[in-house]
Amino acid sequence: MARGAARTSRKAGAAARPIEAGLAAEGGLTPLDYMLTMLRDESLEPKARFEIAKAAAPYVHAKLATVEHSGGIALSHEDALAELDDEPDGLQR
């Protein structure tokens, strides 16, 4: 096999885990659905519900990407505040 080539027998475009995906679709209850059901169960201890919430969070909320600021800063925070203080009362927004 050529160096850097894909090392899988799976065909391009095939589902990553077809068996698990099929089982979840047949049952109608995904792991996330199950976790959310448990999370809403008020009879569970708060600590257990907290752990379930932590496990479910990545499925619901995307992680924030790291962004590097590439532009220059034309005005410092202090200078902007000073400009606001210098404006007459009638012109403030």
Side-chain angles (χ1 to χ4, degrees):
M1 192 178 272
R3 186 165 247 209
R7 291 178 169 82
T8 181
S9 60
R10 191 167 36 97
K11 294 180 182 177
R17 297 180 187 178
I19 295 172
E20 290 88 349
L23 292 175
E26 288 174 10
L29 188 66
T30 66
L32 177 61
D33 292 333
Y34 178 72
M35 285 189 278
L36 293 176
T37 300
M38 291 180 61
L39 183 63
R40 293 179 183 119
D41 184 358
E42 293 184 10
S43 66
L44 290 176
E45 293 182 25
K47 187 174 182 177
R49 293 173 65 196
F50 177 74
E51 294 300 322
I52 294 166
K54 285 195 319 187
Y59 295 98
V60 180
H61 306 287
K63 287 186 177 183
L64 296 177
T66 302
V67 178
E68 185 176 326
H69 179 68
S70 60
I73 299 175
L75 190 63
S76 73
H77 177 73
E78 290 78 13
D79 293 339
L81 288 175
E83 283 185 16
L84 287 174
D85 288 341
D86 293 342
E87 289 183 9
D89 289 336
L91 296 178
Q92 288 183 354
R93 294 182 190 173

